[in-house]
Amino acid sequence: MTQAAGRDVEYQHEGTRMLGLVVAPQGEAAGRFAAVAVLLIHDAFGLSEEMIGTATRLAEAGHPVFLADVWGERATPSSVTEIGPLIGGMAQDRNRWLGRVAAAHAALDAQPEFAGRPLALLGYCFGGSSALEYLRTGAHVAGVAAVHPGLDLLDQDWSTPGSGAVLLAIGADDPMATPDMRHRLEEHLSSAGLDHQFHLYSGTTHAFTSPKAADSPQPEVFAHNARSAARAWVATTGFFAELSAPAF
């Protein structure tokens, strides 16, 4: 394990100020690791302490991480009344949505910690949807890991997909990733010739990695599940290890 340090990175998209964060390995181990770099796309709550904690854990394992700021101005909405319009606005204007992801990718490319490394996308909830949409519309990366993504947000036009292996970690009872939605996505990934794997967790709904979903008022819709969260982390880090040193 290595120490990690954070650095703010300001960038722009269509006049909106974004404030991303680089979290990179430090010390002697930083020069030894050949680990894949990660563009981390936040959940509906924005670039929160929880997301920074996830980035720190990845950096401690040797992965330089760029935290995207999709909402802009590093907004961290805390209620459904704030979150709903933000997600709805992105779904209604996909050019703006994906433009903000692309802007984060460009900002990452300008940082020295990421030079010469393969890149993986990692997204949680809305961030997972963002990562899959970015792949669907032509992103070329080493891999995409989407943890409890809202598959209901995805467009169905996969006529110009990008490239990269795909990992999905999904609750079997997630109403935002139903069996029909999962089957449809699997067909798209297969048609696009993209290597993919689905990890499906029983007794698990949406947002299962988030402590904010503990004591959920609607556990049939979203609820924290510590066991599934731990399994998803093992799957994700194993996926990144495979991308860092591919055996196939």
mmCIF file of all heavy atoms in Angstrom, residues 212-222:
data_model
loop_
_atom_site.group_PDB
_atom_site.id
_atom_site.type_symbol
_atom_site.label_atom_id
_atom_site.label_comp_id
_atom_site.label_asym_id
_atom_site.label_seq_id
_atom_site.Cartn_x
_atom_site.Cartn_y
_atom_site.Cartn_z
ATOM 1 N N LYS A 212 -24.976 6.168 2.299
ATOM 2 C CA LYS A 212 -26.146 7.055 2.321
ATOM 3 C C LYS A 212 -27.442 6.271 2.141
ATOM 4 O O LYS A 212 -28.529 6.786 2.444
ATOM 5 C CB LYS A 212 -26.032 8.114 1.215
ATOM 6 C CG LYS A 212 -24.918 9.131 1.413
ATOM 7 C CD LYS A 212 -24.971 10.190 0.328
ATOM 8 C CE LYS A 212 -23.897 11.252 0.503
ATOM 9 N NZ LYS A 212 -22.542 10.732 0.181
ATOM 10 N N ALA A 213 -27.323 5.049 1.625
ATOM 11 C CA ALA A 213 -28.512 4.220 1.407
ATOM 12 C C ALA A 213 -28.818 3.320 2.599
ATOM 13 O O ALA A 213 -29.721 2.496 2.546
ATOM 14 C CB ALA A 213 -28.338 3.374 0.150
ATOM 15 N N ALA A 214 -28.056 3.469 3.676
ATOM 16 C CA ALA A 214 -28.365 2.722 4.898
ATOM 17 C C ALA A 214 -29.663 3.255 5.492
ATOM 18 O O ALA A 214 -29.996 4.430 5.339
ATOM 19 C CB ALA A 214 -27.225 2.860 5.893
ATOM 20 N N ASP A 215 -30.423 2.388 6.168
ATOM 21 C CA ASP A 215 -31.728 2.784 6.739
ATOM 22 C C ASP A 215 -32.618 3.420 5.677
ATOM 23 O O ASP A 215 -33.284 4.442 5.914
ATOM 24 C CB ASP A 215 -31.526 3.752 7.915
ATOM 25 C CG ASP A 215 -30.669 3.155 9.022
ATOM 26 O OD1 ASP A 215 -30.872 1.977 9.350
ATOM 27 O OD2 ASP A 215 -29.788 3.863 9.538
ATOM 28 N N SER A 216 -32.616 2.830 4.506
ATOM 29 C CA SER A 216 -33.380 3.361 3.384
ATOM 30 C C SER A 216 -34.880 3.351 3.671
ATOM 31 O O SER A 216 -35.413 2.358 4.174
ATOM 32 C CB SER A 216 -33.110 2.519 2.137
ATOM 33 O OG SER A 216 -33.994 2.854 1.092
ATOM 34 N N PRO A 217 -35.588 4.437 3.330
ATOM 35 C CA PRO A 217 -37.046 4.436 3.470
ATOM 36 C C PRO A 217 -37.725 3.572 2.419
ATOM 37 O O PRO A 217 -38.906 3.241 2.555
ATOM 38 C CB PRO A 217 -37.409 5.913 3.310
ATOM 39 C CG PRO A 217 -36.322 6.470 2.440
ATOM 40 C CD PRO A 217 -35.080 5.724 2.853
ATOM 41 N N GLN A 218 -36.989 3.221 1.366
ATOM 42 C CA GLN A 218 -37.510 2.370 0.297
ATOM 43 C C GLN A 218 -36.494 1.277 -0.029
ATOM 44 O O GLN A 218 -35.886 1.275 -1.097
ATOM 45 C CB GLN A 218 -37.818 3.201 -0.950
ATOM 46 C CG GLN A 218 -38.922 4.219 -0.789
ATOM 47 C CD GLN A 218 -39.138 4.980 -2.081
ATOM 48 O OE1 GLN A 218 -38.352 5.854 -2.450
ATOM 49 N NE2 GLN A 218 -40.197 4.642 -2.784
ATOM 50 N N PRO A 219 -36.305 0.331 0.860
ATOM 51 C CA PRO A 219 -35.275 -0.697 0.622
ATOM 52 C C PRO A 219 -35.541 -1.550 -0.605
ATOM 53 O O PRO A 219 -34.610 -2.163 -1.129
ATOM 54 C CB PRO A 219 -35.306 -1.526 1.909
ATOM 55 C CG PRO A 219 -36.652 -1.265 2.506
ATOM 56 C CD PRO A 219 -36.998 0.143 2.141
ATOM 57 N N GLU A 220 -36.777 -1.570 -1.070
ATOM 58 C CA GLU A 220 -37.073 -2.322 -2.290
ATOM 59 C C GLU A 220 -36.557 -1.594 -3.531
ATOM 60 O O GLU A 220 -36.474 -2.187 -4.619
ATOM 61 C CB GLU A 220 -38.574 -2.573 -2.417
ATOM 62 C CG GLU A 220 -39.432 -1.364 -2.775
ATOM 63 C CD GLU A 220 -39.682 -0.408 -1.599
ATOM 64 O OE1 GLU A 220 -39.172 -0.669 -0.490
ATOM 65 O OE2 GLU A 220 -40.395 0.591 -1.811
ATOM 66 N N VAL A 221 -36.193 -0.329 -3.375
ATOM 67 C CA VAL A 221 -35.662 0.469 -4.480
ATOM 68 C C VAL A 221 -34.162 0.670 -4.324
ATOM 69 O O VAL A 221 -33.390 0.435 -5.253
ATOM 70 C CB VAL A 221 -36.371 1.835 -4.569
ATOM 71 C CG1 VAL A 221 -35.751 2.692 -5.687
ATOM 72 C CG2 VAL A 221 -37.860 1.651 -4.801
ATOM 73 N N PHE A 222 -33.719 1.118 -3.152
ATOM 74 C CA PHE A 222 -32.297 1.327 -2.894
ATOM 75 C C PHE A 222 -32.000 1.023 -1.436
ATOM 76 O O PHE A 222 -32.793 1.322 -0.547
ATOM 77 C CB PHE A 222 -31.876 2.761 -3.237
ATOM 78 C CG PHE A 222 -32.514 3.821 -2.380
ATOM 79 C CD1 PHE A 222 -31.869 4.318 -1.264
ATOM 80 C CD2 PHE A 222 -33.775 4.318 -2.689
ATOM 81 C CE1 PHE A 222 -32.451 5.297 -0.466
ATOM 82 C CE2 PHE A 222 -34.368 5.301 -1.906
ATOM 83 C CZ PHE A 222 -33.705 5.787 -0.789
#
